[in-house]
Protein backbone atom coordinates (compact mmCIF):
# COMPACT_ATOMS: atom_id res chain seq x y z
CA UNK A 1 0.00 0.00 0.00
CA UNK A 2 1.35 3.40 -1.04
CA UNK A 3 0.45 6.22 1.37
CA UNK A 4 0.13 9.70 -0.18
CA UNK A 5 -0.13 12.74 2.12
CA UNK A 6 -1.28 15.97 0.44
CA UNK A 7 -0.63 19.32 2.14
CA UNK A 8 -1.42 22.85 1.00
CA UNK A 9 -5.04 22.89 -0.13
CA UNK A 10 -7.76 24.24 2.13
CA UNK A 11 -9.29 20.77 2.05
CA UNK A 12 -11.93 18.50 0.56
CA UNK A 13 -14.71 18.31 -0.47
CA UNK A 14 -13.74 21.27 -2.64
CA UNK A 15 -15.40 24.59 -1.77
CA UNK A 16 -12.70 27.02 -2.80
CA UNK A 17 -10.23 27.23 -5.67
CA UNK A 18 -7.88 25.32 -7.93
CA UNK A 19 -5.85 23.26 -5.47
CA UNK A 20 -8.98 22.14 -3.64
CA UNK A 21 -10.67 21.05 -6.88
CA UNK A 22 -7.50 19.24 -7.95
CA UNK A 23 -7.25 17.27 -4.71
CA UNK A 24 -10.95 16.43 -4.78
CA UNK A 25 -10.72 15.15 -8.36
CA UNK A 26 -7.55 13.17 -7.64
CA UNK A 27 -9.04 11.45 -4.60
CA UNK A 28 -12.49 10.89 -6.12
CA UNK A 29 -11.12 9.31 -9.32
CA UNK A 30 -8.61 6.98 -7.62
CA UNK A 31 -8.39 3.67 -9.45
CA UNK A 32 -5.58 1.76 -7.76
CA UNK A 33 -6.62 -0.25 -4.67
CA UNK A 34 -3.03 0.04 -3.48
CA UNK A 35 -3.23 3.81 -2.91
CA UNK A 36 -4.30 5.54 0.29
CA UNK A 37 -4.71 9.32 0.38
CA UNK A 38 -4.41 11.59 3.43
CA UNK A 39 -5.43 15.23 2.92
CA UNK A 40 -4.85 18.21 5.22
CA UNK A 41 -7.95 20.37 5.69
CA UNK A 42 -7.97 23.87 7.15
CA UNK A 43 -10.43 23.93 10.05
CA UNK A 44 -11.39 25.53 13.35
CA UNK A 45 -10.86 22.24 15.17
CA UNK A 46 -8.56 19.22 15.07
CA UNK A 47 -10.21 15.97 13.99
CA UNK A 48 -10.32 13.29 11.29
CA UNK A 49 -12.97 12.25 8.77
CA UNK A 50 -13.22 10.08 5.65
CA UNK A 51 -14.11 11.43 2.21
CA UNK A 52 -14.09 9.13 -0.83
CA UNK A 53 -11.88 6.72 1.13
CA UNK A 54 -9.32 9.46 1.83
CA UNK A 55 -8.40 10.36 5.41
CA UNK A 56 -9.06 14.08 5.92
CA UNK A 57 -7.07 15.37 8.86
CA UNK A 58 -8.41 18.71 9.97
CA UNK A 59 -5.86 21.24 11.21
CA UNK A 60 -6.86 24.10 13.50
CA UNK A 61 -4.98 27.30 12.67
CA UNK A 62 -5.35 30.72 14.34
CA UNK A 63 -6.17 33.72 12.15
CA UNK A 64 -2.74 35.39 12.06
CA UNK A 65 -2.94 37.21 8.73
CA UNK A 66 -0.60 36.39 5.80
CA UNK A 67 1.39 33.97 7.98
CA UNK A 68 -1.67 31.74 8.42
CA UNK A 69 -0.92 29.68 5.31
CA UNK A 70 2.68 29.10 6.40
CA UNK A 71 1.58 28.04 9.88
CA UNK A 72 -1.04 25.73 8.39
CA UNK A 73 1.44 23.94 6.13
CA UNK A 74 3.95 23.49 8.95
CA UNK A 75 1.35 22.14 11.36
CA UNK A 76 0.01 19.77 8.70
CA UNK A 77 3.55 18.59 7.93
CA UNK A 78 4.19 17.85 11.62
CA UNK A 79 0.96 15.86 11.70
CA UNK A 80 2.11 13.79 8.70
CA UNK A 81 5.45 12.98 10.34
CA UNK A 82 3.74 11.97 13.57
CA UNK A 83 1.17 9.83 11.74
CA UNK A 84 3.83 8.04 9.68
CA UNK A 85 5.84 7.29 12.83
CA UNK A 86 2.90 6.09 14.92
CA UNK A 87 1.58 3.81 12.19
CA UNK A 88 4.99 2.56 11.06
CA UNK A 89 4.25 3.48 7.45
CA UNK A 90 6.92 2.78 4.88
CA UNK A 91 7.30 3.96 1.30
CA UNK A 92 5.13 7.05 1.81
CA UNK A 93 5.05 10.31 -0.18
CA UNK A 94 4.30 13.77 1.19
CA UNK A 95 3.10 16.07 -1.60
CA UNK A 96 3.16 19.80 -0.79
CA UNK A 97 1.17 22.24 -2.91
CA UNK A 98 2.91 25.64 -3.32
CA UNK A 99 6.20 26.95 -1.93
CA UNK A 100 5.25 28.59 1.35
CA UNK A 101 7.53 26.94 3.93
CA UNK A 102 10.98 27.08 2.34
CA UNK A 103 12.98 28.45 5.33
CA UNK A 104 11.74 25.55 7.48
CA UNK A 105 11.63 22.90 4.78
CA UNK A 106 15.10 21.34 4.95
CA UNK A 107 14.79 19.92 8.48
CA UNK A 108 11.38 18.39 7.75
CA UNK A 109 12.70 16.74 4.59
CA UNK A 110 15.52 15.18 6.63
CA UNK A 111 13.02 13.86 9.17
CA UNK A 112 10.84 12.39 6.43
CA UNK A 113 13.81 10.80 4.67
CA UNK A 114 14.66 9.01 7.91
CA UNK A 115 11.17 7.51 7.74
CA UNK A 116 11.83 6.33 4.15
CA UNK A 117 9.39 8.94 2.89
CA UNK A 118 9.82 11.02 -0.27
CA UNK A 119 8.83 14.69 -0.45
CA UNK A 120 7.29 16.09 -3.64
CA UNK A 121 6.42 19.76 -4.24
CA UNK A 122 4.11 21.52 -6.67
CA UNK A 123 5.80 24.94 -7.14
CA UNK A 124 2.54 26.45 -8.48
CA UNK A 125 3.08 29.75 -10.33
CA UNK A 126 5.29 32.76 -9.67
CA UNK A 127 3.75 33.73 -6.33
CA UNK A 128 6.57 36.21 -5.69
CA UNK A 129 5.47 38.23 -8.75
CA UNK A 130 1.95 38.91 -7.50
CA UNK A 131 1.22 42.62 -7.11
CA UNK A 132 -0.75 42.16 -3.89
CA UNK A 133 2.42 41.40 -1.90
CA UNK A 134 4.69 44.09 -0.48
CA UNK A 135 8.45 44.06 -1.05
CA UNK A 136 9.26 41.96 2.03
CA UNK A 137 6.63 39.31 1.40
CA UNK A 138 7.79 39.01 -2.21
CA UNK A 139 11.34 38.46 -0.95
CA UNK A 140 10.06 35.77 1.41
CA UNK A 141 8.16 33.98 -1.39
CA UNK A 142 11.23 34.00 -3.64
CA UNK A 143 13.47 32.64 -0.85
CA UNK A 144 10.86 30.05 0.04
CA UNK A 145 10.60 28.88 -3.57
CA UNK A 146 14.38 28.53 -3.86
CA UNK A 147 14.73 26.48 -0.68
CA UNK A 148 11.84 24.17 -1.53
CA UNK A 149 13.25 23.55 -5.00
CA UNK A 150 16.63 22.84 -3.39
CA UNK A 151 15.37 20.22 -0.92
CA UNK A 152 12.44 18.54 -2.72
CA UNK A 153 12.86 15.04 -4.12
CA UNK A 154 10.66 15.94 -7.07
CA UNK A 155 8.99 19.12 -8.41
CA UNK A 156 5.64 18.38 -10.08
CA UNK A 157 4.95 21.32 -12.42
CA UNK A 158 1.48 21.92 -13.85
CA UNK A 159 2.92 23.94 -16.74
CA UNK A 160 5.80 23.26 -19.15
CA UNK A 161 6.71 26.94 -18.84
CA UNK A 162 7.03 26.56 -15.06
CA UNK A 163 9.02 23.34 -15.46
CA UNK A 164 11.42 25.09 -17.84
CA UNK A 165 11.77 28.01 -15.41
CA UNK A 166 12.53 25.66 -12.48
CA UNK A 167 15.13 23.71 -14.48
CA UNK A 168 16.89 26.81 -15.81
CA UNK A 169 16.64 29.27 -12.92
CA UNK A 170 17.63 26.68 -10.31
CA UNK A 171 19.95 24.55 -12.43
CA UNK A 172 22.65 24.67 -9.72
CA UNK A 173 20.42 22.38 -7.65
CA UNK A 174 19.87 20.03 -10.61
CA UNK A 175 16.17 19.75 -9.68
CA UNK A 176 14.25 16.63 -10.67
CA UNK A 177 10.98 17.65 -12.31
CA UNK A 178 7.86 16.12 -13.81
CA UNK A 179 5.13 17.82 -15.82
CA UNK A 180 1.52 16.96 -14.92
CA UNK A 181 -1.07 19.60 -15.75
CA UNK A 182 -4.22 20.67 -13.98
CA UNK A 183 -7.46 19.19 -15.30
CA UNK A 184 -10.90 20.15 -16.59
CA UNK A 185 -14.19 18.54 -17.56
CA UNK A 186 -15.92 19.19 -20.90
CA UNK A 187 -19.28 17.75 -19.84
CA UNK A 188 -22.27 20.09 -20.16
CA UNK A 189 -23.98 21.80 -17.24
CA UNK A 190 -26.93 19.92 -15.78
CA UNK A 191 -28.99 23.13 -16.04
CA UNK A 192 -31.07 23.92 -19.13
CA UNK A 193 -31.43 27.38 -20.65
CA UNK A 194 -34.94 27.68 -19.22
CA UNK A 195 -33.94 26.68 -15.70
CA UNK A 196 -35.32 29.18 -13.18
CA UNK A 197 -31.97 29.44 -11.41
CA UNK A 198 -30.31 30.64 -14.61
CA UNK A 199 -33.19 32.85 -15.75
CA UNK A 200 -33.41 34.59 -12.38
CA UNK A 201 -29.65 35.25 -12.42
CA UNK A 202 -29.86 36.71 -15.94
CA UNK A 203 -32.86 38.85 -15.01
CA UNK A 204 -31.17 40.16 -11.87
CA UNK A 205 -28.26 41.57 -13.87
CA UNK A 206 -30.04 42.30 -17.19
CA UNK A 207 -27.91 39.77 -19.07
CA UNK A 208 -28.93 37.72 -22.11
CA UNK A 209 -27.77 34.47 -23.65
CA UNK A 210 -24.77 34.82 -26.04
CA UNK A 211 -24.82 38.59 -25.51
CA UNK A 212 -21.95 38.97 -23.05
CA UNK A 213 -18.22 38.62 -22.65
CA UNK A 214 -17.25 36.89 -19.42
CA UNK A 215 -14.37 36.75 -16.99
CA UNK A 216 -14.15 34.65 -13.82
CA UNK A 217 -11.22 34.95 -11.43
CA UNK A 218 -9.54 36.60 -8.50
CA UNK A 219 -9.76 40.39 -8.60
CA UNK A 220 -6.03 41.17 -8.53
CA UNK A 221 -3.88 43.50 -10.68
CA UNK A 222 -1.79 40.74 -12.32
CA UNK A 223 -4.93 39.35 -13.95
CA UNK A 224 -5.04 42.55 -16.03
CA UNK A 225 -8.55 43.72 -15.21
CA UNK A 226 -7.51 47.31 -15.85
CA UNK A 227 -6.40 46.54 -19.40
CA UNK A 228 -9.51 44.45 -20.12
CA UNK A 229 -11.88 47.10 -18.76
CA UNK A 230 -10.14 50.02 -20.51
CA UNK A 231 -10.10 48.17 -23.82
CA UNK A 232 -13.70 47.03 -23.51
CA UNK A 233 -14.75 50.62 -22.83
CA UNK A 234 -12.96 51.67 -26.05
CA UNK A 235 -14.73 48.98 -28.08
CA UNK A 236 -17.97 49.63 -29.92
CA UNK A 237 -19.65 46.30 -29.19
CA UNK A 238 -23.12 46.42 -27.65
CA UNK A 239 -22.50 43.20 -25.74
CA UNK A 240 -22.00 43.28 -21.95
CA UNK A 241 -18.80 42.58 -20.05
CA UNK A 242 -19.74 40.35 -17.10
CA UNK A 243 -17.16 40.06 -14.33
CA UNK A 244 -17.64 37.25 -11.79
CA UNK A 245 -15.34 37.98 -8.87
CA UNK A 246 -15.29 38.91 -5.20
CA UNK A 247 -14.84 42.67 -4.76
CA UNK A 248 -15.87 42.96 -1.10
CA UNK A 249 -13.28 44.89 0.94
CA UNK A 250 -11.04 44.97 -2.15
CA UNK A 251 -9.12 48.25 -2.40
CA UNK A 252 -8.07 47.39 -5.95
CA UNK A 253 -11.74 47.72 -6.99
CA UNK A 254 -11.90 51.33 -5.79
CA UNK A 255 -8.51 52.13 -7.33
CA UNK A 256 -9.68 50.77 -10.67
CA UNK A 257 -12.93 52.69 -10.42
CA UNK A 258 -11.01 55.93 -9.87
CA UNK A 259 -8.67 55.18 -12.79
CA UNK A 260 -11.13 54.00 -15.42
CA UNK A 261 -14.57 55.31 -14.30
CA UNK A 262 -16.05 52.05 -15.55
CA UNK A 263 -19.24 52.79 -13.63
CA UNK A 264 -20.32 55.18 -16.41
CA UNK A 265 -20.31 52.32 -18.95
CA UNK A 266 -23.50 50.31 -18.45
CA UNK A 267 -22.04 47.40 -20.45
CA UNK A 268 -19.64 46.58 -17.62
CA UNK A 269 -21.23 44.52 -14.88
CA UNK A 270 -19.61 43.33 -11.67
CA UNK A 271 -21.94 40.55 -10.49
CA UNK A 272 -20.19 39.15 -7.43
CA UNK A 273 -19.44 35.45 -7.03
CA UNK A 274 -21.26 32.32 -8.19
CA UNK A 275 -20.68 29.29 -5.97
CA UNK A 276 -23.18 26.94 -7.63
CA UNK A 277 -20.87 25.05 -9.99
CA UNK A 278 -23.60 23.98 -12.43
CA UNK A 279 -24.88 27.54 -12.68
CA UNK A 280 -21.35 28.85 -13.22
CA UNK A 281 -20.76 26.26 -15.95
CA UNK A 282 -24.00 27.25 -17.67
CA UNK A 283 -23.04 30.94 -17.50
CA UNK A 284 -19.74 30.03 -19.17
CA UNK A 285 -21.46 27.97 -21.86
CA UNK A 286 -23.86 30.80 -22.71
CA UNK A 287 -21.23 33.54 -22.93
CA UNK A 288 -20.40 34.91 -26.37
CA UNK A 289 -16.73 34.85 -25.41
CA UNK A 290 -14.43 34.52 -22.42
CA UNK A 291 -11.68 37.04 -21.60
CA UNK A 292 -8.56 35.78 -19.84
CA UNK A 293 -5.90 38.22 -18.66
CA UNK A 294 -3.80 36.07 -16.30
CA UNK A 295 -0.06 36.49 -16.78
CA UNK A 296 1.33 35.00 -13.53
CA UNK A 297 1.27 31.29 -12.82
CA UNK A 298 1.16 27.97 -14.59
CA UNK A 299 -1.81 26.12 -16.03
CA UNK A 300 -4.68 28.28 -14.80
CA UNK A 301 -7.85 26.45 -13.69
CA UNK A 302 -10.22 29.20 -14.86
CA UNK A 303 -8.65 29.09 -18.34
CA UNK A 304 -9.14 25.33 -18.62
CA UNK A 305 -12.73 25.65 -17.42
CA UNK A 306 -13.35 28.34 -20.05
CA UNK A 307 -11.83 26.25 -22.85
CA UNK A 308 -13.96 23.32 -21.72
CA UNK A 309 -17.21 25.33 -21.67
CA UNK A 310 -17.11 28.59 -23.64
CA UNK A 311 -17.32 28.71 -27.43
CA UNK A 312 -14.78 31.48 -27.97
CA UNK A 313 -11.84 32.45 -25.75
CA UNK A 314 -9.70 35.60 -25.96
CA UNK A 315 -6.45 35.17 -24.07
CA UNK A 316 -3.60 37.45 -23.08
CA UNK A 317 -0.69 36.45 -25.30
CA UNK A 318 1.79 34.97 -22.81
CA UNK A 319 3.57 31.62 -22.84
CA UNK A 320 1.42 30.04 -20.11
CA UNK A 321 -1.80 30.71 -22.01
CA UNK A 322 -0.53 29.71 -25.47
CA UNK A 323 0.85 26.49 -24.01
CA UNK A 324 -2.61 25.51 -22.82
CA UNK A 325 -4.92 26.69 -25.61
CA UNK A 326 -2.66 26.54 -28.67
CA UNK A 327 -4.89 27.07 -31.76
CA UNK A 328 -8.12 26.83 -29.77
CA UNK A 329 -8.27 30.53 -28.86
CA UNK A 330 -7.62 34.07 -30.08
CA UNK A 331 -4.88 36.20 -28.48
CA UNK A 332 -4.46 39.85 -27.53
CA UNK A 333 -1.61 41.97 -26.17
CA UNK A 334 -1.41 44.65 -23.49
CA UNK A 335 -0.62 47.38 -26.04
CA UNK A 336 -3.31 50.03 -26.40
CA UNK A 337 -5.90 49.06 -28.98
CA UNK A 338 -4.99 45.37 -29.23
CA UNK A 339 -7.98 43.98 -27.33
CA UNK A 340 -10.52 46.64 -28.34
CA UNK A 341 -9.81 46.05 -32.05
CA UNK A 342 -10.17 42.30 -31.54
CA UNK A 343 -13.51 42.78 -29.76
CA UNK A 344 -14.77 45.07 -32.54
CA UNK A 345 -13.80 42.52 -35.19
CA UNK A 346 -15.84 39.78 -33.52
CA UNK A 347 -19.26 41.41 -33.80
CA UNK A 348 -19.59 39.93 -37.29
CA UNK A 349 -17.74 36.66 -36.80
CA UNK A 350 -19.06 33.71 -38.80
CA UNK A 351 -20.88 30.94 -36.91
CA UNK A 352 -18.72 28.27 -38.55
CA UNK A 353 -15.57 30.02 -37.33
CA UNK A 354 -16.99 30.09 -33.81
CA UNK A 355 -17.83 26.39 -33.95
CA UNK A 356 -14.31 25.60 -35.13
CA UNK A 357 -12.73 27.44 -32.20
CA UNK A 358 -15.07 25.59 -29.84
CA UNK A 359 -14.10 22.21 -31.33
CA UNK A 360 -10.37 22.99 -31.13
CA UNK A 361 -10.63 24.19 -27.51
CA UNK A 362 -12.57 21.14 -26.33
CA UNK A 363 -10.26 18.80 -28.22
CA UNK A 364 -7.30 20.43 -26.50
CA UNK A 365 -8.88 19.84 -23.07
CA UNK A 366 -9.94 16.26 -23.84
CA UNK A 367 -6.56 15.32 -25.32
CA UNK A 368 -4.29 16.85 -22.67
CA UNK A 369 -6.23 18.12 -19.66
CA UNK A 370 -9.04 15.69 -18.85
CA UNK A 371 -9.25 14.81 -15.14
CA UNK A 372 -9.08 11.09 -15.88
CA UNK A 373 -5.84 11.60 -17.77
CA UNK A 374 -4.38 13.76 -15.00
CA UNK A 375 -5.37 11.21 -12.35
CA UNK A 376 -3.78 8.41 -14.38
CA UNK A 377 -0.51 10.35 -14.69
CA UNK A 378 -0.40 10.92 -10.94
CA UNK A 379 -1.04 7.26 -10.17
CA UNK A 380 1.79 6.28 -12.50
CA UNK A 381 4.03 8.79 -10.75
CA UNK A 382 3.21 7.53 -7.24
CA UNK A 383 4.22 4.06 -8.29
Amino acid sequence: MKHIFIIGSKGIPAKYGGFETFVDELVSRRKSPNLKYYVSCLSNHNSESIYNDAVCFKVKVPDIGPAKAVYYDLKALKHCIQYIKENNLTDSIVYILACRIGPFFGKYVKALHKLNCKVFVNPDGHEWKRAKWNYFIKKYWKLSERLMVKHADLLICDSKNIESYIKNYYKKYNPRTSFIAYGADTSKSTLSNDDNLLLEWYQKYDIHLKDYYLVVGRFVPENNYETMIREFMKSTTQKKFVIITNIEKNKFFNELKDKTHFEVDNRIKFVGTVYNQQLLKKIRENAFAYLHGHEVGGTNPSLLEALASTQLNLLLDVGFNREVAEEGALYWGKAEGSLSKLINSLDNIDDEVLKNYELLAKKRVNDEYSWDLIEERYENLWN
Side-chain angles (χ1 to χ4, degrees):
M1 180 71 74
K2 183 79 87 171
H3 301 272
I4 312 296
F5 295 80
I6 303 178
I7 293 172
S9 77
K10 291 185 177 72
I12 52 176
K15 297 176 184 175
Y16 302 95
F19 274 147
E20 291 70 40
T21 301
F22 157 69
V23 177
D24 199 327
E25 295 286 350
L26 187 66
V27 164
S28 302
R29 295 172 188 267
R30 178 183 64 91
K31 295 181 180 68
S32 172
N34 298 316
L35 273 181
K36 185 71 176 179
Y37 284 110
Y38 307 79
V39 180
S40 68
C41 301
L42 188 63
S43 180
N44 56 8
H45 61 277
N46 296 314
S47 64
E48 276 191 10
S49 62
I50 302 295
Y51 173 74
N52 281 339
D53 202 38
V55 176
C56 303
F57 58 95
K58 296 178 172 61
V59 180
K60 183 179 180 180
V61 180
D63 192 359
I64 51 176
K68 182 177 182 178
V70 176
Y71 185 89
Y72 169 52
D73 284 359
L74 290 173
K75 197 169 180 182
L77 195 50
K78 288 177 183 176
H79 177 91
C80 292
I81 292 171
Q82 184 180 348
Y83 191 97
I84 292 167
K85 280 182 180 177
E86 289 178 355
N87 293 277
N88 296 313
L89 302 183
T90 58
D91 201 22
S92 301
I93 295 172
V94 172
Y95 184 27
I96 303 171
L97 307 174
C99 295
R100 290 183 283 256
I101 56 172
F104 317 95
F105 190 51
K107 70 172 185 177
Y108 288 105
V109 171
K110 286 180 182 176
L112 287 163
H113 282 172
K114 286 179 182 178
L115 298 171
N116 195 33
C117 178
K118 293 177 181 175
V119 185
F120 295 175
V121 171
N122 185 320
D124 198 19
H126 298 310
E127 187 67 31
W128 49 274
K129 283 187 176 181
R130 296 195 186 278
K132 66 178 180 178
W133 302 124
N134 65 37
Y135 171 81
F136 298 102
I137 294 178
K138 285 181 179 179
K139 292 286 281 186
Y140 174 85
W141 283 124
K142 195 73 180 71
L143 171 67
S144 188
E145 178 185 89
R146 179 174 68 80
L147 292 173
M148 292 189 77
V149 170
K150 178 180 179 181
H151 293 293
D153 295 310
L154 177 70
L155 286 305
I156 303 176
C157 306
D158 67 13
S159 156
K160 290 177 182 175
N161 275 262
I162 289 291
E163 183 179 33
S164 177
Y165 157 75
I166 293 290
K167 280 183 171 295
N168 293 324
Y169 196 87
Y170 297 109
K171 60 184 176 182
K172 66 179 179 181
Y173 299 132
N174 194 26
R176 182 174 163 238
T177 65
S178 180
F179 163 66
I180 306 180
Y182 191 82
D185 173 16
T186 56
S187 66
K188 291 285 189 181
S189 169
T190 57
L191 301 184
S192 62
N193 282 335
D194 59 359
D195 192 288
N196 283 336
L197 188 65
L198 177 70
L199 294 177
E200 287 170 7
W201 191 87
Y202 279 156
Q203 186 176 20
K204 181 179 179 180
Y205 297 108
D206 188 25
I207 297 167
H208 305 281
L209 185 147
K210 293 296 179 184
D211 195 40
Y212 58 95
Y213 286 79
L214 178 69
V215 63
V216 182
R218 288 192 299 172
F219 198 63
V220 291
E222 61 268 19
N223 290 350
N224 285 292
Y225 283 96
E226 181 175 349
T227 299
M228 290 189 290
I229 288 171
R230 283 189 189 279
E231 290 293 306
F232 198 91
M233 290 174 73
K234 286 178 187 173
S235 77
T236 57
T237 185
Q238 294 305 300
K239 293 180 173 64
K240 305 291 195 294
F241 182 20
V242 177
I243 303 168
I244 297 179
T245 190
N246 185 3
I247 57 171
E248 289 182 20
K249 300 177 182 177
N250 190 315
K251 67 177 184 179
F252 175 54
F253 176 78
N254 292 321
E255 290 172 4
L256 204 51
K257 197 173 183 180
D258 291 340
K259 283 182 179 179
T260 65
H261 302 290
F262 60 74
E263 72 277 7
V264 302
D265 191 329
N266 60 15
R267 297 174 300 169
I268 296 172
K269 294 180 177 290
F270 282 87
V271 296
T273 50
V274 176
Y275 289 113
N276 183 310
Q277 292 305 302
Q278 292 305 317
L279 175 59
L280 182 58
K281 183 178 278 194
K282 196 64 181 174
I283 293 166
R284 289 183 190 276
E285 289 171 7
N286 287 347
F288 171 74
Y290 188 87
L291 280 171
H292 187 75
H294 290 51
E295 66 175 318
V296 175
T299 301
N300 184 265
S302 65
L303 171 55
L304 284 177
E305 288 157 6
L307 293 171
S309 301
T310 310
Q311 192 168 32
L312 182 63
N313 291 276
L314 316 183
L315 317 182
L316 178 64
D317 193 359
V318 293
F320 299 115
N321 297 336
R322 276 200 179 265
E323 174 191 326
V324 174
E326 292 187 344
E327 301 303 313
L330 292 169
Y331 297 89
W332 50 275
K334 292 168 73 172
E336 186 175 347
S338 174
L339 179 56
S340 58
K341 287 175 184 174
L342 178 58
I343 290 170
N344 288 342
S345 73
L346 296 175
D347 273 347
N348 298 309
I349 191 169
D350 187 82
D351 283 345
E352 289 303 313
V353 175
L354 281 174
K355 288 176 184 175
N356 187 55
Y357 276 113
E358 182 177 23
L359 288 171
L360 288 171
K362 283 185 168 56
K363 185 178 188 303
R364 184 75 183 131
V365 173
N366 286 326
D367 287 352
E368 293 296 332
Y369 298 98
S370 76
W371 278 121
D372 283 334
L373 180 63
I374 303 308
E375 188 276 338
E376 181 183 328
R377 287 174 177 170
Y378 268 98
E379 289 207 6
N380 290 335
L381 186 73
W382 304 144
N383 295 315

